[in-house]
Amino acid sequence: MAAEGAARPRRHVTGRQDGCLSLVTESKTKKMNRKGSTSSTSSSSSSSMMDPLSSVLDGTDPLSLFAAAADPVTTTATMDSTRKKRDKDDSSAVGNDFEPWSSKRGEILARYTTTEKLSINLYMGSEKGKATTAGSAVSEKVRTRLEELDDLEEGSQKELLNLTQQDYMNRIEELNQSLKDAWSSDQKVKALKIVIQCSKLLSDTTVIQFYPSKFVLITDILDTFGKLVYERILSMCVDNRVSLPDNFSPESVNDTAKETCLNWFFKIASIRELIPRFYVEAAILKCNKFLSKTGISECLPRLTSMIRGIGDPLVAVYARAYLCRVGMEVAPQLKESLNKNFFDFLLTFKQIHGDTVQNQLVVQCVEIPLYLTLYSPAIDWILQCIAYRAPEVLLTEMMERCKKLGNNALLLNSVMSAFRAEFIAARSMDFIGMIKECDESGFPKHLLFRSLGLNLALADPPENDRLQILNEAWKVITKLKNPQDYINCAEVWVEYTCRHFTKREVNTVLADVIKHMTPDRAFEDAYPQLQSIIQKVITYIYDFSLLFSVEKFLPFLDMFQKESVRVEVCKCIMESFIKHQQESTKDPVILNALLHICKTMHDSVNALTLEDEKRMLAALINGFIKMVSFGRDFEQQLSFYVEARSMFCNLEPVLVQLIHSVNQLAMETKKVMKGNHSRKTAAFVRACVAFCFITIPSLSSIFTRLNLYLHSGQVALANQCLSQGKARICLLRGSLISEIFLAVNNNLVEIISHPTLVDIVMAMR
């Protein structure tokens, strides 16, 4: 593709503002075999041979197109003829419901990594033209700038070899910073050369498994360049300190800004190689707004056609993804170009299985399943753009096209990921039929069922099909031998099962998960997925009497052997219980299970546990304690509190709650007996007072003890337990006083003003 434009007459340029260049034709032709060029010898043997992209561009080179656009008469005629064809619906702009590219960026960089050594060509920069005198002629400046641009194509680069992935990313970041520095120092030609150099890297697939991440890094630089150019031209439109509105028209743009904008497009059209010319022009696509109302709608189809000249199918599909991304940012209403990009990709899809690609994979020792996953980010993005607010009929069309390609698994997966879940769910049985008949081609069917399950978690399929859908999916999932593949699919379909079926089906699914994940302790590598399953189960089954009646639920919890993970799962369960349990309970199944779960949380506390974590655990346990009630069976209630004290002795807030609960139990007994205790109830009340008397000294806070002694003493006196009440009062007057002075460092003012002491004094008057 570097040969494209090599046989054209060389064009020189005249000086213009902002470092931009205007084109004039020169009869002298540059020699064709340039240093560092990738052009073929056959293209230079005959000047009459047709340009490979001539059919795409209708025999017109990009410069002629821009020159025609610069003609005001032609521009006006074109605007008038196409005005009726433009989509004027501004409501089709991208909204918050569209997932932005930035949210996918991190995931791509984390997923597509490599341990192979990478290489990069760095622009070494020339000092020519940086120190020109004020009296230099314009033609001399132009010649210098042209020489600088030629330097880039004629070997003014340094190739760095054997870079690690991190080194490569650091170099790309250096180029990004160099671009910004060059722009801020008014070296616009240098900035353009950096962008061209970076764009050329996207034609390199020598380390093919890293290509998606490379695409993300390079397009970040292209985005920066496009933003800089747009903001520069926009700043030239300021008139009397009044900037253009957001929805400005080309008529409000002054001639200087328009001419500068055209010069940028002229320079980009002069780039010889296809890939950098495409990417750089796509990066400044938004600048067409300064020239014509129809500029963007005219450029998108042409750029789409340019991609047909890219031979490598992986490079081409990412070029289409970038064009769709830019198109969605500047003209989301122009759906035709989005559809055309995808349909062009479908036409060339057979290239993936061609000899050229297969030979490349053999050389790099890359298997076809791994290679196909490299396409996923690009295809997913293209389809997301197409499917955004698209009518349901478009999904039908996509399904038909997939069938024509033999129900290719890669495409089918992307279609299910892109379109609205409601559309997919309504056609669940159709998709299952396509999945059964699909050509996997290295893309396993269980991933297709996973994608289908993700949609069914968001939307309900027809009621009559629900059980059949689950059976068809689980037939495939349960046959998976690889534990990681199995759990990734099972995690998704557990939600579907909980959402639409009873505890019997949920129990069956949990039993199957235990069966697959227990051998060789496979569960140790799948804790995130297992946690997700628990979260989904308790989200849909929040009746805990029903939940704990699921036979395999507690055995499922036993798979969480790692303490930190087990505690997080227990916290999840307790939060759900506190949130959804509306009435107190005495169900022994619930109590035994939750006591075990709370004990697990309590036993995780050690000397290194943070205070915030202790408070959180104590709050969850206290929430459980408050929900336990045995009604009038006060003795059973007290027995529960005694058992809880022995289980949760390391969390002081829990002990405080137990003391308050026992005091309340004593007062409820007094209320039931109307103040006249029998021998049995008097003994019970004394047992409650003894519980508090024994528990309070174990607390570390002196003021908490003072407060509890006061309350417990009042409860004892109210229940005619005079000896216990007097004992507490004596304790308050005696030994605790010295501890109080030590606690506040003998500060008399603080002692007198402390609210707890004030309460004690008022109570003892």
Side-chain angles (χ1 to χ4, degrees):
M1 295 310 160
E4 183 188 9
R8 298 191 196 121
R10 184 57 196 268
R11 299 176 185 254
H12 268 199
V13 290
T14 57
R16 191 57 68 186
Q17 291 187 35
D18 196 25
C20 296
L21 310 171
S22 295
L23 290 172
V24 291
T25 305
E26 182 186 82
S27 59
K28 185 177 179 179
T29 304
K30 185 131 180 121
K31 65 180 181 179
M32 300 181 60
N33 293 326
R34 299 184 305 277
K35 182 179 179 181
S37 172
T38 59
S39 59
S40 62
T41 56
S42 61
S43 65
S44 61
S45 61
S46 174
S47 60
S48 61
M49 184 176 293
M50 181 178 290
D51 189 318
L53 298 180
S54 61
S55 60
V56 172
L57 298 174
D58 299 326
T60 307
D61 64 275
L63 292 175
S64 301
L65 290 175
F66 284 119
D71 185 354
V73 177
T74 306
T75 302
T76 304
T78 304
M79 287 170 54
D80 291 338
S81 63
T82 58
R83 186 164 295 164
K84 294 181 180 180
K85 299 180 182 179
R86 287 191 299 114
D87 189 346
K88 299 182 294 182
D89 186 11
D90 295 334
S91 64
S92 62
V94 174
N96 294 330
D97 55 336
F98 184 81
E99 185 180 4
W101 174 259
S102 57
S103 66
K104 300 178 180 292
R105 181 183 181 280
E107 180 185 350
I108 295 173
L109 290 175
R111 179 179 178 186
Y112 297 99
T113 59
T114 182
T115 56
E116 300 282 334
K117 295 300 182 181
L118 303 163
S119 64
I120 188 173
N121 290 324
L122 286 181
Y123 165 62
M124 299 307 295
S126 172
E127 298 299 322
K128 299 176 185 178
K130 292 185 180 178
T132 56
T133 62
S136 298
V138 172
S139 60
E140 185 64 28
K141 294 180 181 179
V142 171
R143 184 173 291 106
T144 301
R145 285 171 178 162
L146 284 171
E147 290 173 356
E148 288 180 355
L149 285 172
D150 285 341
D151 282 345
L152 179 64
E153 299 187 3
E154 295 181 4
S156 60
Q157 304 176 57
K158 176 183 178 182
E159 185 175 15
L160 300 180
L161 303 173
N162 298 323
L163 298 176
T164 65
Q165 178 180 320
Q166 189 58 49
D167 291 338
Y168 187 91
M169 296 173 70
N170 292 339
R171 296 294 183 181
I172 294 295
E173 182 56 36
E174 289 175 11
L175 285 173
N176 200 355
Q177 188 59 45
S178 298
L179 168 65
K180 296 175 183 177
D181 294 341
W183 191 273
S184 61
S185 60
D186 203 30
Q187 299 181 55
K188 304 298 189 294
V189 173
K190 180 180 178 182
L192 178 59
K193 287 196 286 186
I194 292 173
V195 175
I196 294 172
Q197 173 190 341
C198 292
S199 301
K200 287 183 177 181
L201 296 175
L202 292 174
S203 62
D204 177 22
T205 57
T206 51
V207 184
I208 201 165
Q209 62 267 35
F210 185 65
Y211 191 85
S213 292
K214 181 198 291 188
F215 172 80
V216 169
L217 298 171
I218 299 301
T219 52
D220 284 348
I221 297 178
L222 290 165
D223 293 341
T224 300
F225 176 72
K227 183 179 179 182
L228 291 172
V229 173
Y230 183 84
E231 290 179 349
R232 171 59 179 159
I233 298 173
L234 186 64
S235 68
M236 300 176 70
C237 300
V238 176
D239 188 16
N240 296 327
R241 297 185 179 180
V242 178
S243 59
L244 290 177
D246 292 337
N247 57 343
F248 67 88
S249 63
E251 289 78 10
S252 58
V253 179
N254 59 49
D255 292 341
T256 302
K258 284 185 177 181
E259 197 167 355
T260 301
C261 183
L262 277 172
N263 286 336
W264 276 109
F265 281 110
F266 287 152
K267 284 195 293 185
I268 293 169
S270 300
I271 300 173
R272 295 186 179 97
E273 296 183 35
L274 172 61
I275 290 177
R277 184 170 74 248
F278 163 80
Y279 273 106
V280 180
E281 183 177 347
I284 68 165
L285 181 65
K286 189 177 180 180
C287 294
N288 279 282
K289 292 172 61 177
F290 296 107
L291 301 176
S292 167
K293 291 182 178 180
T294 61
I296 294 176
S297 61
E298 292 168 356
C299 285
L300 281 173
R302 180 173 55 80
L303 291 172
T304 300
S305 298
M306 284 175 63
I307 301 174
R308 296 174 183 172
I310 300 176
D312 190 308
L314 183 66
V315 177
V317 75
Y318 276 93
R320 297 187 189 283
Y322 185 68
L323 184 59
C324 289
R325 177 153 75 87
V326 174
M328 285 296 288
E329 291 173 1
V330 301
Q333 72 277 10
L334 300 177
K335 295 287 189 179
E336 294 82 3
S337 64
L338 299 175
N339 296 342
K340 188 63 175 174
N341 269 287
F342 183 69
F343 295 151
D344 280 0
F345 165 71
L346 294 182
L347 291 174
T348 59
F349 189 75
K350 58 184 179 181
Q351 288 181 292
I352 293 177
H353 305 289
D355 292 340
T356 303
V357 172
Q358 295 301 318
N359 292 338
Q360 184 184 26
L361 298 183
V362 170
V363 171
Q364 298 196 36
C365 300
V366 174
E367 298 292 334
I368 190 67
L370 174 60
Y371 176 69
L372 287 176
T373 61
L374 303 179
Y375 285 81
S376 293
I379 299 175
D380 289 348
W381 178 259
I382 294 171
L383 280 170
Q384 178 184 326
C385 296
I386 292 173
Y388 181 65
R389 295 182 181 177
E392 193 169 357
V393 66
L394 183 60
L395 174 58
T396 304
E397 182 181 354
M398 292 294 179
M399 292 173 68
E400 292 300 323
R401 288 179 179 265
C402 286
K403 289 178 181 177
K404 291 179 180 178
L405 288 173
N407 292 328
N408 182 272
L410 175 64
L411 296 178
L412 197 57
N413 186 69
S414 295
V415 168
M416 288 191 290
S417 301
F419 281 86
R420 290 174 55 184
E422 294 82 359
F423 297 168
I424 304 297
R427 295 169 169 78
S428 298
M429 291 307 301
D430 293 336
F431 275 104
I432 286 178
M434 294 174 68
I435 292 172
K436 286 181 177 180
E437 299 173 1
C438 77
D439 172 21
E440 293 188 62
S441 299
F443 198 94
K445 287 185 179 181
H446 71 265
L447 294 182
L448 299 176
F449 276 106
R450 185 178 189 277
S451 297
L452 179 60
L454 289 172
N455 282 285
L456 296 180
L458 300 174
D460 298 335
E463 187 171 355
N464 295 333
D465 296 337
R466 291 174 184 175
L467 182 58
Q468 186 179 356
I469 291 170
L470 178 61
N471 289 334
E472 293 291 346
W474 210 259
K475 284 178 186 177
V476 176
I477 296 172
T478 195
K479 291 178 181 178
L480 296 174
K481 301 300 182 184
N482 185 297
Q484 201 62 39
D485 291 341
Y486 172 84
I487 196 64
N488 286 335
C489 289
E491 172 201 358
V492 173
W493 283 90
V494 163
E495 181 168 4
Y496 175 77
T497 307
C498 295
R499 187 183 179 109
H500 298 296
F501 299 98
T502 64
K503 72 172 187 177
R504 185 172 70 89
E505 288 80 11
V506 173
N507 189 67
T508 302
V509 170
L510 293 181
D512 196 62
V513 173
I514 294 172
K515 176 184 175 182
H516 279 80
M517 301 307 295
T518 302
D520 300 324
R521 300 179 67 85
F523 55 77
E524 293 182 346
D525 298 323
Y527 283 138
Q529 294 90 334
L530 295 175
Q531 279 183 268
S532 176
I533 289 175
I534 287 290
Q535 184 65 55
K536 289 168 181 175
V537 170
I538 62 179
T539 297
Y540 290 97
I541 308 178
Y542 45 80
D543 181 349
F544 275 72
S545 60
L546 180 62
L547 177 65
F548 289 123
S549 67
V550 176
E551 183 183 350
K552 295 298 181 180
F553 182 75
L554 292 178
F556 190 92
L557 293 180
D558 292 338
M559 286 195 293
F560 295 98
Q561 299 291 314
K562 188 177 180 181
E563 185 183 46
S564 60
V565 179
R566 186 167 66 248
V567 171
E568 286 300 317
V569 171
C570 292
K571 286 162 62 176
C572 237
I573 295 172
M574 293 308 303
E575 286 170 358
S576 177
F577 175 79
I578 294 171
K579 177 181 179 181
H580 294 106
Q581 189 71 25
Q582 301 296 326
E583 299 178 354
S584 57
T585 182
K586 61 178 181 179
D587 187 328
V589 175
I590 295 178
L591 296 185
N592 289 332
L594 292 184
L595 277 173
H596 173 72
I597 290 171
C598 290
K599 177 66 173 173
T600 300
M601 294 192 300
H602 170 270
D603 292 347
S604 68
V605 175
N606 54 45
L608 300 178
T609 305
L610 299 176
E611 289 301 319
D612 286 345
E613 179 70 10
K614 290 181 180 180
R615 279 193 291 270
M616 179 183 296
L617 296 176
L620 293 174
I621 296 174
N622 285 341
F624 163 60
I625 291 172
K626 292 176 183 178
M627 294 304 298
V628 177
S629 174
F630 290 89
R632 290 295 185 91
D633 192 348
F634 293 157
E635 292 183 350
Q636 185 67 32
Q637 190 81 31
L638 182 60
S639 298
F640 170 77
Y641 291 145
V642 171
E643 183 181 3
R645 181 180 62 182
S646 66
M647 296 178 72
F648 310 128
C649 57
N650 290 332
L651 291 173
E652 288 198 3
V654 178
L655 296 179
V656 171
Q657 176 61 44
L658 289 171
I659 293 170
H660 284 306
S661 297
V662 171
N663 281 332
Q664 184 179 358
L665 185 62
M667 295 306 294
E668 286 180 1
T669 305
K670 175 179 179 290
K671 182 179 179 180
V672 170
M673 299 304 294
K674 299 181 180 179
N676 297 318
H677 285 294
S678 64
R679 180 178 298 180
K680 183 177 181 180
T681 58
F684 175 77
V685 169
R686 285 194 294 272
C688 292
V689 174
F691 177 97
C692 299
F693 189 78
I694 294 171
T695 308
I696 292 174
S698 64
L699 303 177
S700 60
S701 171
I702 176 63
F703 292 107
T704 301
R705 279 187 282 152
L706 280 173
N707 191 41
L708 291 174
Y709 272 131
L710 173 62
H711 290 171
S712 299
Q714 290 172 333
V715 170
L717 293 174
N719 283 277
Q720 303 172 14
C721 300
L722 300 181
S723 59
Q724 288 92 337
K726 288 181 180 179
R728 279 153 184 72
I729 293 173
C730 292
L731 188 61
L732 289 173
R733 290 176 174 174
S735 61
L736 288 178
I737 298 300
S738 58
E739 292 186 39
I740 295 172
F741 275 89
L742 291 174
V744 295
N745 296 322
N746 295 314
N747 188 330
L748 188 59
V749 175
E750 186 174 349
I751 293 174
I752 295 173
S753 61
H754 199 283
T756 301
L757 294 179
V758 172
D759 290 342
I760 292 174
V761 171
M762 295 299 294
M764 295 175 59
R765 280 193 305 171

